[in-house]
Structure formats: C-alpha cells, structure tokens
Amino acid sequence: MALIAKDIIETIQMIEKDNLDIRTTTMGISLFDCISHNPIITAERIYDKVTKKASRLVKTADEIGKEFGIPIINKRISVTPIAMVGSGADRDDYVEFAFALDRAAEETGVDFIGGYSALVQKGFTATDLEFLASIPQALAQTQKVCSSINVGSSKAGINMDAVKMMGTIIKDTAYLTKERDSIGCAKFVVFANAVEDNPFMAGAFHGPGEPEAVINVGVSGPGVVKSALEKVEGMPIDVVAETIKRTAFKITRAGMLVGKEMSQRVNVPFGIMDLSLAPTPKVGDSVAEILEIMGLEKCGTHGTTAALALLNDAVKKGGIMASSHVGGLSGAFIPVSEDAGMIDAVINGALTFDKLEAMTSVCSVGIDMVAVSGDVSASTLSAIIADEAAIGVINNKTTAVRIIPAYGKKVGDIVNFGGLLGSAPVMAISEYSSEEFIARGGRIPAPVHSFKN
Amino acid sequence: MKAVITVVGKDKTGIIYQISKALYEHNVNIEDLTQTIMQENFTMLMLVNYEMMECSFDELKAALNVAGENLGLSVRLQREDIFDAMHKV
C-alpha cells in the first residue's frame, strides 16, 4: 500500500483521541468599496458585500471537513477596520455598521465577525474618536461582532492617550454587558504590533494592505503535541524541541491542505497559515498541559517561561517548513479561560497574573481572557495594557490584552462565558494605583532599535 | 480521486463482503487492501478510487456507516490527500 498503515492510524488517533482540528478558516473581506457619503448606504453595502462574498464559506468548510475527516471548528469573517470605512460617520452611525456586520454574520452562519477595529498607534483622526466612543454600545448590542484596537507599534511607539481610553472602554463594556458576566469584554482586544492577517478572534481584522478577499487558516492541536511528548518522557530537552517541531509540521500540513482546498472552492486566494497552538476548555486540549508534561508540576511555576519559549519556537520552526505562507500570530496561545490547565493552575495559586505577564513576552499573544475584579479602576486596566504594549513594542512582537473586569465579581469568583470562551477564575492584580502615570497621556517614543533604515 | 477507508473493531466474518458490497453499489473501485492488528484491534485499510462514483461523497460515507453499523465496527472514509500531506515531506 502506498500509504503506511501506521501513518493512517496516527492521523486518525490525532483527530479522534488528541482533538486535532482546524481551529478556524477565516475569510478576510475588504470593505473599502463600501465607503459612501451616507452612513445608511455604507451600512447596506457592508451587509451586501459580506453576505455575498461569504455566502458559501460555512457550507464549503463543512464539506471539506467531512471529506478529509478532520473537523473545521470555526468559520469566521474579518473585515477592513471599520474606523476606516466610516469616513464622516458619527458614533451612532458606527453602531449601525456593527449591526450590519452582526446581521451579515448571522446570515452567513459564521460564529464571529472581526474588524470593528481601529489602528491608532500614532494618533487619532476625528472619525477615529467617534468610532472609539461607539465600541461599548456596539459590543453590548451585537452578538458576533469582535473589536480590536492597535495602540502601539515598534515603529510608532505607544499612543498613551489611546491606552488611557482603552481602560474606560473596557469598563463601560463590562458594565453594559453586566447581565452576562461582562462578556462584551471577551470580544474586545487591545493590540501592540497588530497583524493584518490574523485569522483568530477576537483580534482578526482584514488589514488595509490586504487584497480584496482572502482565506486564512488557523490550526490547532495542543492535545497532539502533548500526546507526542508523553512518548519522550525523561529525554533531553533537544528531543522535546524536535518532537514538537515534527508534530507542528504534520498539523500545519493538514491546515495547508484545508486552506488550499477552501481557497479553490470558494474562489478566493489563499492568504496565510497561522501556526498557533490554540487551546479549548476541553481536558487534553490545553497548552498548560504541554508545559506540565515537560516536567513542571503546575503551569506557572519557575521554568514555565522557558518551557513556553521553547514550545513557541519549536511550533514555528515545524510550521514554517510545512507552509510557504505563514502569518497571523503563529505561536502558542495562553488564554486563561479557554484552557483547562491554565484555569486549574490559577485556581491552585500556581499561576499568578505577574507570571502570566512574563509568559506573554515569549508567546504569541498576551494577557488573554483574564478575568479581574469588577471594581478595578479604568487606569489600572490602562496600565496593564501599557505594560503589555511595552513588551510587544520593545521586543518587536505582537502583544495583546483581552481582559474582563467582571461586573460584581471578586477575586476567587468564577466567571462563565460558555462555549469556546470557557470560564475564568477572577485573578488578583496589584492594589496600588497607576492613576497619575496613565493621566499624563501623550506618546511613548518608538524604541531606538526601530530605526533600521 | 482516492480515499482511504479504515475499519476498526473486532474481527468477524463478512467484513470485506459488506464493505466491498457498499463500494460496488456506488461504483467505487478498490485499489489496495491491507489488514493488521493494531493496539489489539482488528484494522482494515482500503485504498479506493472514487472517480467513477455514482453518488456524492456524503452519500458514500453514509452507506459505509450503515455497513459499519451492521458489522458493529467503526468505518471511516477520508480523502487520501490528508495522509499524504501529513506524512510525506
């Protein structure tokens, strides 16, 4: 037989036992041609274009999933940052655009639509400010719309006026969605060095440098990596790195195949593969469990940062060999609420907020899906964002903050979002104020190593 | 267009008969076949060509599932490309 029985069985085990899946296939759609002088017309055009372009996305992904026997969990859409599309619009108009996106997501059957976004790393336009003011209402009044803001970059530095605003936006969103554990905040990400082709939510948007439409794919597979590492127990760390690399290669190749097939069938060019190890709340589908299998008693103990750095790097090396177009965030995700091992580590006191911050300096995103006490001040949230942005800007990497100050909840309580968003224990943060630092506003200059020309 | 059929479970009479009957009824050709014991399970792997198939992929899958249920075994149908992609450089 041309195929080796062992390989066939291995693939089937990866899918059935170790939860291998294609985490998301995301169609990026440019909305630049929807811009008009009249916000009502713009909203109509947004709905029409998205529903037309993505009409076959969900059906095709399901068909491909069945043919290859590998589940494609999420089908999503990302669009041009809405702040750029609503030229001349005021904050109420922007909320209408969010409704148009939400309706389009419902009509096409996708689970999330991202791109209610703005890029303000260097400063605001007048319409950016109207847009930012609309975010809490937009998140509270829609189901599937995700929002992201880029507040810093290694080239531009950090817009501290924007950082200051983000704290307030997050607090307002938490209040407006207080009946549902402040779930609005789970759909809002603040970035530094945001990428234009990220297929993962809540931070996906279709960057201004992207083509008319594109198919991006995000793979997953923490369970597969864990299972492979169980077989090399006690071996030197080089063997661990090599094993992760080989596994990441296989996972990525499966993703590439799905991406190419999707692109062909919906007649939209293939964009990038995002080589991310994205966990789910399911046991056995956890990044924390991979770190623990490497020899750490609990995720969050000393050695966690080193283990995560090794994991992140090996995933990239294996994935890059498997795909010619790698992009997005590409690395290991450490969202607390979406990872059973991380939740467990927080509850046991092994993983603290500060350790989590250290881990974000070597992984692919940042403070992700972390619940904090509802009475946290806006300036403290801003200061957390400033720290994370600084890690990204100085280290030339993407960092993000998706934090939920769950209304009425205290440290030790559990916040429940349901589904893929999971549940999160409320984590303790510093009780000291950052108020005056954040009140200064202004701009943190770009780091010296950004001057490369 | 090729696909791999994997049958896993307890060995018994009529496995090849039932599966190949379903394939014959939908005009799918068997190109290769191997049987082995893997992790104490009887495992049969079949490489089939479905270029001339007279139904949709989904319908063939359903027909094989029925055959699998009659036999009390799990039957999977997957396009061959997925295995090639993951295991060949």
Side-chain angles (χ1 to χ4, degrees), chain A residues 143-403:
Chain A
Q143 300 298 320
K144 297 186 168 183
V145 175
C146 291
S147 175
S148 56
I149 306 295
N150 193 52
V151 296
S153 74
S154 296
K155 276 282 179 201
I158 303 171
N159 178 351
M160 289 299 285
D161 291 320
V163 168
K164 184 177 160 190
M165 258 181 234
M166 294 305 117
T168 311
I169 289 174
I170 293 171
K171 282 287 281 185
D172 290 350
T173 306
Y175 181 75
L176 289 175
T177 54
K178 64 179 190 296
E179 312 301 338
R180 288 176 292 152
D181 275 353
S182 300
I183 196 169
C185 301
K187 298 181 286 172
F188 181 67
V189 188
V190 184
F191 276 115
N193 289 326
V195 290
E196 300 199 357
D197 51 13
N198 161 26
F200 285 101
M201 293 297 170
F205 63 88
H206 187 68
E210 292 284 305
E212 177 67 13
V214 76
I215 289 286
N216 296 325
V217 170
V219 290
S220 175
V224 181
V225 173
K226 184 191 162 200
S227 181
L229 290 184
E230 277 167 354
K231 295 180 190 116
V232 297
E233 195 189 342
M235 308 279 267
I237 215 79
D238 328 43
V239 179
V240 172
E242 186 62 25
T243 307
I244 297 170
K245 224 168 72 181
R246 283 170 180 270
T247 312
F249 174 82
K250 290 177 188 170
I251 297 172
T252 310
R253 284 287 283 252
M256 267 309 285
L257 184 66
V258 166
K260 278 190 192 155
E261 191 79 22
M262 273 299 289
S263 147
Q264 234 171 39
R265 291 204 201 172
V266 296
N267 198 22
V268 163
F270 177 73
I272 58 96
M273 272 297 305
D274 189 317
L275 319 171
S276 290
L277 284 186
T280 67
K282 237 192 287 181
V283 172
D285 205 17
S286 151
V287 170
E289 285 172 14
I290 299 177
L291 305 177
E292 289 167 5
I293 222 87
M294 284 191 216
L296 301 168
E297 189 182 355
K298 270 272 168 234
C299 172
T301 187
H302 303 292
T304 301
T305 312
L308 182 59
L310 152 79
L311 172 66
N312 207 43
D313 186 62
V315 165
K316 283 180 196 171
K317 285 175 179 161
I320 281 169
M321 168 82 179
S323 165
S324 340
H325 297 289
V326 172
L329 299 164
S330 288
F333 289 172
I334 50 169
V336 174
S337 78
E338 298 170 3
D339 187 313
M342 302 274 284
I343 295 171
D344 198 44
V346 172
I347 291 174
N348 285 307
L351 179 59
T352 61
F353 191 91
D354 294 343
K355 186 61 178 181
L356 200 57
E357 184 183 301
M359 289 162 72
T360 67
S361 62
V362 298
C363 79
S364 69
V365 205
I367 298 288
D368 194 17
M369 290 305 284
V370 170
V372 293
S373 162
D375 57 12
V376 61
S377 71
S379 63
T380 296
L381 292 173
S382 293
I384 290 170
I385 291 167
D387 282 343
E388 222 24 65
I391 291 172
V393 165
I394 297 294
N395 295 305
N396 286 311
K397 70 184 288 293
T398 304
T399 47
V401 174
R402 181 160 52 143
I403 194 164

Side-chain angles (χ1 to χ4, degrees), chain A residues 413-442:
Chain A
D413 290 351
I414 302 281
V415 180
N416 269 309
F417 304 114
L420 263 189
L421 296 172
S423 67
V426 175
M427 292 180 83
I429 50 172
S430 173
E431 287 170 5
Y432 294 97
S433 167
S434 320
E435 187 79 41
E436 284 181 36
F437 177 68
I438 294 302
R440 287 173 187 269

Side-chain angles (χ1 to χ4, degrees), chain A residues 1 3 5 7-14 16 20 66-69 250 253 257 261 265 321, chain B residues 4 6 32 34 38-39 43 45 47 57-58 61 76 78-82 84-88:
Chain A
M1 203 162 187
L3 286 157
D7 292 343
I8 294 174
I9 299 295
E10 186 189 80
T11 297
I12 291 172
Q13 276 189 346
M14 281 180 172
E16 300 206 342
L20 172 65
K66 274 188 194 156
E67 286 174 26
F68 289 131
K250 290 177 188 170
R253 284 287 283 252
L257 184 66
E261 191 79 22
R265 291 204 201 172
M321 168 82 179
Chain B
V4 172
T6 322
D32 202 348
T34 175
M38 281 215 163
Q39 292 166 359
T43 306
L45 303 169
L47 183 69
F57 197 90
D58 240 14
K61 211 168 195 175
R76 288 181 204 83
Q78 289 163 282
R79 273 173 57 183
E80 183 203 18
D81 333 24
I82 184 90
D84 270 343
M86 288 177 73
H87 300 284
K88 287 185 186 166

Side-chain angles (χ1 to χ4, degrees), chain A residues 53-74:
Chain A
K53 278 269 177 212
S55 61
R56 289 188 298 131
L57 177 69
V58 173
K59 191 170 165 277
T60 310
D62 289 341
E63 279 169 11
I64 292 173
K66 274 188 194 156
E67 286 174 26
F68 289 131
I70 184 167
I72 303 174
I73 306 293
N74 298 311

